[in-house]
Amino acid sequence: MIRIIIAEDQSMILGALSALLDLEDDLSVIGKANNGEQALKLVNELNPDIVLTDIEMPIMTGIELAQAIQKQKQKHSTKVMILTTFARGGYLKRAMDAGVKVNLLKDSPSDVLADSISKIFAGKTIVAPELVTEAWAETDPLSDKERKILKLAYEGKTTEEIAKVICLSPGTVRNYSSEAVSKLEAKNRIEAARIAWQKGWL
Amino acid sequence: MIRIIIAEDQSMILGALSALLDLEDDLSVIGKANNGEQALKLVNELNPDIVLTDIEMPIMTGIELAQAIQKQKQKHSTKVMILTTFARGGYLKRAMDAGVKVNLLKDSPSDVLADSISKIFAGKTIVAPELVTEAWAETDPLSDKERKILKLAYEGKTTEEIAKVICLSPGTVRNYSSEAVSKLEAKNRIEAARIAWQKGWL
DNA sequence: TCCTACTTATGACATTTGTCACATACATTG
DNA sequence: CAATGTATGTGACAAATGTCATAAGTAGGA
């Protein structure tokens, strides 16, 4: 019997996933968490065979969770598997297109889980964390100030107001905002803010 | 046996939900759609008992779907049920106006969901308690054009682009946007868009 | 029919943004 | 020290946005 902990912030999915996986004969969901932090705690308490985690979660992301577990691996033998979609751009997609076998952990527990997952969700798969860190490396090009400025601009604040909030001159605020716009290849700061927002950078 | 169609743009949730509901003895998921348009087509083909839909979807939102179904209700007896993550004031009112029978949050446990479905089937109306407090929020003061303009502006589109999309002159677009700004007592169209968005008017 | 309301449009003007070239100050490093 | 880099600021100009007065066309009601 493979003992599993699931981490996923949307409780609808969390509930559904655990209910469905529990139906499988050789799988048992022994813990559920809404973010990486909770999951980490559960891992240390329960020492499961596998942690199945989403990537985007508040407080502690799936990637951070994977790293934390990796760091203390002498304490337990838990493997981290990341639940993801093919649809994402970048490295992972290219790897998939080239027919690379994504499930790097070639042991039977992860295979069983992978099978179950693909049975349940078409188009979904689980992968080893090492892969995803590469794939997710579309890093935020924004500086700290740029990020803050976009955020405030997206709330409808004027340049003056933004300047006051972050203690810079209005001119400098415009310089940074202009920088951000060109980095994100947007037409104006609103579009830039939207792009950054969608990528989860704000 | 209650026959259900599900509309939801996140395929993860779509899959989980339908698998889960299919487990119930008295429920049968007969169709899945990624947006309101697909759902509407399926409704007309399959005449289900219940459509379970998300609100925010591309092409056609859940509310628009509800309105479309309400409009042709003599053709079929389908009931609409809305499942949403973020309850923003104004949603409920619009949903009710469109004859929706239920509003539920996505993080209600799934047995509650299944339970609700049966009740809806029996003709009852259910609303998530979280929504009731916001239920009688102010009515949307925006005209149709104003709403559309704010929406597009919030995506970072320029006046010119907006004008092209909705087939008006740039000058008129600016007039409407100015109108909207003063109606919502905002400083500029971005702030106006944000206000409207928060109230669930976009 | 006339009146009114609504939609769409224009022009003029002020304000806000976007862009760029260029300073100034400060810290780091060779 | 001199050289370099980074954060910040200024000024000037172009472009986009916000505001307002006003007008043409259209539809509906009295």
Side-chain angles (χ1 to χ4, degrees):
Chain A
M1 179 68 92
I2 305 170
R3 299 160 66 247
I4 302 174
I5 285 177
I6 305 179
E8 161 68 60
D9 61 326
Q10 286 187 264
S11 42
M12 185 79 220
I13 296 188
L14 179 57
L17 206 52
S18 69
L20 293 170
L21 288 180
D22 246 352
L23 291 180
E24 300 287 321
D25 290 337
D26 41 6
L27 302 180
S28 163
V29 177
I30 59 172
K32 294 186 262 186
N34 287 306
N35 61 60
E37 207 174 65
Q38 278 182 31
L40 188 56
K41 215 163 125 193
L42 285 177
V43 167
N44 284 324
E45 281 171 24
L46 306 175
N47 191 27
D49 299 313
I50 292 180
V51 178
L52 179 61
T53 178
D54 188 18
I55 293 185
E56 283 149 15
M57 288 183 297
I59 307 176
M60 186 186 232
T61 70
I63 307 257
E64 288 164 345
L65 172 62
Q67 286 163 349
I69 291 178
Q70 178 67 15
K71 214 177 273 177
Q72 45 180 242
K73 65 179 164 194
Q74 65 291 350
K75 277 171 62 183
H76 40 60
S77 55
T78 301
K79 292 188 187 59
V80 179
M81 305 291 320
I82 292 193
L83 188 59
T84 185
T85 322
F86 296 99
R88 298 283 183 180
Y91 173 81
L92 189 54
K93 181 171 186 341
R94 271 180 279 127
M96 302 278 216
D97 289 346
V100 174
K101 178 84 173 142
V102 198
N103 185 353
L104 279 189
L105 304 183
K106 295 291 283 184
D107 47 43
S108 65
S110 22
D111 277 346
V112 171
L113 183 54
D115 284 348
S116 308
I117 293 285
S118 58
K119 229 190 316 177
I120 295 171
F121 306 109
K124 287 289 183 299
T125 187
I126 56 177
V127 301
E130 301 84 54
L131 264 182
V132 181
T133 28
E134 295 295 324
W136 228 250
E138 198 196 354
T139 35
D140 180 355
L142 299 172
S143 78
D144 220 51
K145 312 258 177 194
E146 286 160 1
R147 217 186 338 275
K148 249 178 221 158
I149 288 172
L150 285 191
K151 203 167 175 177
L152 292 168
Y154 204 41
E155 285 167 16
K157 299 247 191 301
T158 66
T159 304
E160 306 278 338
E161 291 172 323
I162 297 173
K164 246 174 235 163
V165 173
I166 60 179
C167 301
L168 287 178
S169 86
T172 308
V173 169
R174 290 203 277 154
N175 284 339
Y176 282 131
S177 121
S178 184
E179 234 340 88
V181 165
S182 84
K183 275 183 184 172
L184 301 181
E185 293 173 20
K187 282 187 303 295
N188 53 51
R189 63 198 204 172
I190 303 308
E191 199 190 32
R194 191 172 188 81
I195 292 171
W197 167 255
Q198 280 176 343
K199 307 235 179 191
W201 295 337
L202 295 192
Chain B
M1 180 71 92
I2 305 174
R3 299 159 68 246
I4 303 174
I5 284 178
I6 305 180
E8 161 70 60
D9 61 327
Q10 283 186 266
S11 53
M12 182 83 201
I13 297 187
L14 180 58
L17 210 50
S18 69
L20 206 58
L21 292 179
D22 251 349
L23 292 179
E24 300 284 325
D25 291 338
D26 46 357
L27 304 181
S28 163
V29 177
I30 59 173
K32 294 186 262 186
N34 287 308
N35 60 61
E37 206 176 66
Q38 278 183 30
L40 189 56
K41 214 163 127 193
L42 285 177
V43 166
N44 283 325
E45 279 172 23
L46 305 175
N47 190 29
D49 299 311
I50 289 178
V51 178
L52 183 59
T53 178
D54 188 19
I55 290 188
E56 281 157 26
M57 289 184 296
I59 306 176
M60 185 186 229
T61 70
I63 302 253
E64 288 165 345
L65 172 62
Q67 286 163 347
I69 291 178
Q70 177 69 9
K71 214 177 273 174
Q72 44 179 245
K73 64 180 164 193
Q74 65 291 351
K75 275 172 61 183
H76 38 59
S77 55
T78 302
K79 296 188 180 72
V80 179
M81 183 164 172
I82 287 187
L83 191 63
T84 180
T85 311
F86 302 106
R88 292 208 296 278
Y91 270 173
L92 181 58
K93 188 166 188 336
R94 282 201 286 157
M96 298 286 239
D97 289 346
V100 169
K101 291 298 193 178
V102 195
N103 256 276
L104 277 185
L105 298 184
K106 266 181 192 160
D107 48 10
S108 347
S110 56
D111 47 339
V112 171
L113 180 59
D115 205 45
S116 307
I117 290 178
S118 311
K119 281 188 190 150
I120 287 312
F121 187 62
K124 290 188 184 146
T125 296
I126 304 176
V127 169
E130 293 89 324
L131 287 176
V132 180
T133 42
E134 304 195 62
W136 311 123
E138 322 106 86
T139 28
D140 182 354
L142 299 171
S143 77
D144 220 51
K145 310 260 177 192
E146 286 161 359
R147 218 187 336 276
K148 247 179 221 157
I149 287 172
L150 284 192
K151 206 166 173 176
L152 292 168
Y154 204 40
E155 286 168 14
K157 298 248 192 300
T158 66
T159 304
E160 306 278 337
E161 291 173 324
I162 297 173
K164 243 173 236 163
V165 173
I166 60 181
C167 300
L168 287 177
S169 86
T172 308
V173 170
R174 290 203 279 155
N175 285 340
Y176 282 131
S177 126
S178 185
E179 223 0 73
V181 166
S182 84
K183 275 182 185 173
L184 302 181
E185 294 175 18
K187 281 185 305 294
N188 52 53
R189 62 198 205 173
I190 303 307
E191 200 191 28
R194 191 170 189 82
I195 291 170
W197 184 83
Q198 280 177 345
K199 307 232 183 196
W201 296 336
L202 295 192

